[in-house]
Amino acid sequence: LGLKGYGTFAVALFACFISLCCMVAFLLYITARCRNIGNTGTSEMMRSIKKVDMYALSKIGKDSVYSYFVTDKVLGWLVAFATLGIQIGILVFFVVASEANLQDDAIDIQFTWKCPRDTYACENTAGLTDAGW
């Protein structure tokens, strides 16, 4: 695919996932509109919506912050999206940190053995004796 690292792969994967979710939501919306053209605001439809919301809430969990997505309250949606944004930010932090250049001597990861590419011999750079100090 020509991706340069984990960061670009994660962004591409996340963009594809969001696009797929948007397409599914749009298709479900269009399907629901086509089925309910003549049924506007009937009590049966309201009971059906309430039943679907309760089912979704039982699957998400009543104590989960994501249960706010099922409500009609804007503040609940803001809390749920803020939580989602923070979790994505933490994920991005770890994905970016995972792209260490192991040839760079200034990284925090310390290897005790250094094996140059132009020789077959490796050297121990830890400075430890056989006793361990």
Side-chain angles (χ1 to χ4, degrees):
L1 293 172
L3 300 175
K4 295 182 189 230
Y6 294 122
T8 54
F9 174 73
V11 167
L13 184 66
F14 188 69
C16 289
F17 177 72
I18 293 296
S19 301
L20 181 66
C21 287
C22 289
M23 287 189 307
V24 167
F26 180 71
L27 289 174
L28 289 173
Y29 174 76
I30 294 297
T31 304
R33 292 283 283 174
C34 290
R35 286 187 182 168
N36 294 325
I37 289 177
N39 302 335
T40 56
T42 63
S43 62
E44 181 182 329
M45 187 173 72
M46 294 305 226
R47 280 193 302 268
S48 174
I49 290 173
K50 185 73 172 171
K51 185 178 175 185
V52 168
D53 283 349
M54 292 305 292
Y55 175 76
L57 192 58
S58 72
K59 293 301 173 190
I60 293 172
K62 292 182 181 180
D63 295 332
S64 172
V65 73
Y66 296 111
S67 65
Y68 291 128
F69 280 123
V70 183
T71 66
D72 293 334
K73 296 181 173 110
V74 176
L75 182 62
W77 279 67
L78 289 175
V79 168
F81 275 118
T83 303
L84 191 63
I86 290 169
Q87 289 178 345
I88 290 171
I90 291 170
L91 175 68
V92 166
F93 174 76
F94 279 101
V95 167
V96 169
S98 70
E99 292 188 31
N101 181 6
L102 301 179
Q103 301 299 322
D104 186 10
D105 289 332
I107 62 172
D108 291 334
I109 302 171
Q110 293 183 0
F111 296 100
T112 59
W113 288 92
K114 189 165 202 143
C115 302
R117 292 179 186 231
D118 57 348
T119 64
Y120 290 111
C122 296
E123 61 183 75
N124 188 357
T125 59
L128 299 177
T129 63
D130 290 336
W133 56 83

